[in-house]
Coordinates of all heavy atoms in Angstrom, one line a residue:
F1393 N 27.5 -60.2 -7.4 CA 26.6 -59.4 -6.5 C 27.1 -57.9 -6.4 O 28.3 -57.6 -6.4 CB 26.6 -60.0 -5.1 CG 25.5 -59.3 -4.3 CD1 24.2 -59.8 -4.4 CD2 25.8 -58.4 -3.3 CE1 23.1 -59.2 -3.6 CE2 24.8 -57.8 -2.5 CZ 23.5 -58.3 -2.7
K1394 N 26.2 -56.9 -6.5 CA 26.5 -55.5 -6.5 C 26.0 -54.9 -5.2 O 24.9 -55.2 -4.7 CB 25.8 -54.8 -7.7 CG 26.4 -55.3 -9.0 CD 25.7 -54.6 -10.2 CE 26.2 -55.1 -11.5 NZ 25.5 -54.6 -12.6
K1395 N 26.6 -53.9 -4.7 CA 26.3 -53.2 -3.5 C 24.9 -52.6 -3.6 O 24.6 -52.0 -4.6 CB 27.3 -52.1 -3.2 CG 27.1 -51.4 -1.8 CD 28.2 -50.3 -1.6 CE 28.0 -49.6 -0.4 NZ 27.9 -50.3 0.9
G1396 N 24.0 -52.7 -2.5 CA 22.8 -52.1 -2.6 C 21.7 -53.0 -3.1 O 20.5 -52.7 -3.0
E1397 N 22.0 -54.2 -3.6 CA 21.0 -55.2 -4.0 C 20.4 -56.0 -2.8 O 21.1 -55.9 -1.7 CB 21.6 -56.1 -5.0 CG 22.0 -55.5 -6.3 CD 22.6 -56.5 -7.4 OE1 23.3 -57.4 -6.9 OE2 22.3 -56.4 -8.5
V1398 N 19.3 -56.6 -3.0 CA 18.8 -57.5 -2.0 C 19.2 -58.9 -2.3 O 18.9 -59.4 -3.3 CB 17.2 -57.4 -1.9 CG1 16.7 -58.4 -0.9 CG2 16.8 -56.0 -1.6
L1399 N 20.0 -59.5 -1.3 CA 20.4 -60.9 -1.5 C 19.3 -61.8 -1.2 O 18.7 -61.8 -0.2 CB 21.6 -61.1 -0.6 CG 22.1 -62.6 -0.6 CD1 22.6 -63.0 -1.9 CD2 23.2 -62.7 0.5
V1400 N 18.9 -62.7 -2.2 CA 17.9 -63.6 -2.1 C 18.5 -65.0 -2.3 O 19.1 -65.3 -3.4 CB 16.7 -63.4 -3.1 CG1 15.6 -64.5 -2.9 CG2 16.1 -62.0 -2.9
T1401 N 18.4 -65.9 -1.3 CA 19.1 -67.2 -1.5 C 18.3 -68.2 -0.6 O 17.4 -67.9 0.2 CB 20.5 -67.2 -1.1 OG1 21.1 -68.4 -1.3 CG2 20.7 -66.8 0.4
T1402 N 18.7 -69.5 -0.7 CA 18.1 -70.5 0.0 C 18.4 -70.4 1.5 O 17.5 -70.4 2.4 CB 18.6 -71.9 -0.4 OG1 18.3 -72.0 -1.9 CG2 17.7 -73.0 0.3
M1403 N 19.7 -70.2 1.8 CA 20.2 -69.9 3.2 C 21.7 -69.5 3.0 O 22.3 -69.6 1.9 CB 20.1 -71.2 4.0 CG 20.9 -72.4 3.5 SD 20.7 -73.9 4.5 CE 21.8 -75.0 3.6
T1404 N 22.2 -68.9 4.0 CA 23.6 -68.5 4.0 C 24.4 -69.3 5.0 O 23.9 -69.8 6.0 CB 23.7 -67.0 4.3 OG1 23.4 -66.8 5.7 CG2 22.8 -66.2 3.4
D1405 N 25.7 -69.3 4.8 CA 26.7 -69.7 5.8 C 27.9 -68.7 5.7 O 27.8 -67.8 5.0 CB 27.1 -71.2 5.5 CG 27.8 -71.4 4.1 OD1 28.5 -70.5 3.7 OD2 27.6 -72.5 3.5
P1406 N 28.9 -69.0 6.5 CA 30.0 -68.0 6.6 C 30.6 -67.6 5.2 O 31.2 -66.6 5.1 CB 31.0 -68.6 7.5 CG 30.1 -69.3 8.5 CD 29.1 -70.0 7.6
D1407 N 30.5 -68.5 4.3 CA 31.1 -68.3 2.9 C 30.4 -67.1 2.2 O 31.0 -66.5 1.3 CB 31.0 -69.5 2.0 CG 31.9 -70.6 2.5 OD1 33.0 -70.3 3.0 OD2 31.5 -71.8 2.3
W1408 N 29.3 -66.7 2.6 CA 28.5 -65.6 2.0 C 28.8 -64.2 2.6 O 28.4 -63.2 2.0 CB 27.0 -65.8 2.2 CG 26.5 -67.1 1.5 CD1 26.6 -68.4 1.9 CD2 25.8 -67.1 0.2 NE1 26.0 -69.2 1.0 CE2 25.5 -68.5 0.0 CE3 25.4 -66.1 -0.7 CZ2 24.8 -68.9 -1.2 CZ3 24.7 -66.6 -1.8 CH2 24.4 -67.9 -2.1
E1409 N 29.6 -64.2 3.7 CA 29.7 -62.9 4.4 C 30.4 -61.8 3.6 O 30.0 -60.6 3.8 CB 30.5 -63.2 5.7 CG 29.6 -63.8 6.7 CD 30.4 -64.4 7.9 OE1 31.5 -64.0 8.1 OE2 29.7 -65.2 8.6
P1410 N 31.3 -62.1 2.7 CA 31.8 -61.0 1.9 C 30.9 -60.1 1.1 O 31.0 -58.9 0.9 CB 32.9 -61.7 0.9 CG 33.3 -62.9 1.7 CD 32.1 -63.3 2.4
I1411 N 29.7 -60.8 0.7 CA 28.7 -59.9 0.0 C 27.5 -59.6 0.9 O 26.8 -58.7 0.6 CB 28.2 -60.7 -1.3 CG1 27.4 -61.9 -0.9 CG2 29.2 -60.9 -2.2 CD1 26.6 -62.5 -2.0
M1412 N 27.4 -60.2 2.0 CA 26.3 -59.9 2.9 C 26.4 -58.4 3.4 O 25.4 -57.7 3.6 CB 26.2 -60.8 4.1 CG 25.8 -62.2 3.7 SD 25.9 -63.4 5.0 CE 24.3 -63.0 5.9
K1413 N 27.6 -58.0 3.6 CA 27.8 -56.6 4.1 C 27.5 -55.6 3.0 O 27.4 -54.4 3.3 CB 29.2 -56.4 4.6 CG 30.3 -56.5 3.5 CD 31.7 -56.6 4.0 CE 32.0 -57.9 4.6 NZ 33.4 -58.2 4.9
M1414 N 27.4 -56.0 1.7 CA 27.1 -55.1 0.7 C 25.6 -55.0 0.4 O 25.2 -54.2 -0.4 CB 27.8 -55.6 -0.6 CG 29.3 -55.7 -0.5 SD 30.1 -56.7 -1.8 CE 29.4 -56.0 -3.2
A1415 N 24.8 -55.8 1.0 CA 23.4 -56.0 0.7 C 22.6 -54.9 1.4 O 22.8 -54.5 2.5 CB 22.9 -57.4 1.1
A1416 N 21.5 -54.5 0.7 CA 20.5 -53.6 1.3 C 19.7 -54.4 2.3 O 19.2 -53.8 3.3 CB 19.6 -53.0 0.2

Side-chain angles (χ1 to χ4, degrees):
F1393 191 81
K1394 297 176 183 175
K1395 185 176 176 62
E1397 293 179 325
V1398 176
L1399 173 61
V1400 179
T1401 185
T1402 309
M1403 59 185 179
T1404 67
D1405 59 33
D1407 289 326
W1408 295 78
E1409 285 165 18
I1411 66 165
M1412 292 174 78
K1413 68 189 75 170
M1414 300 160 56

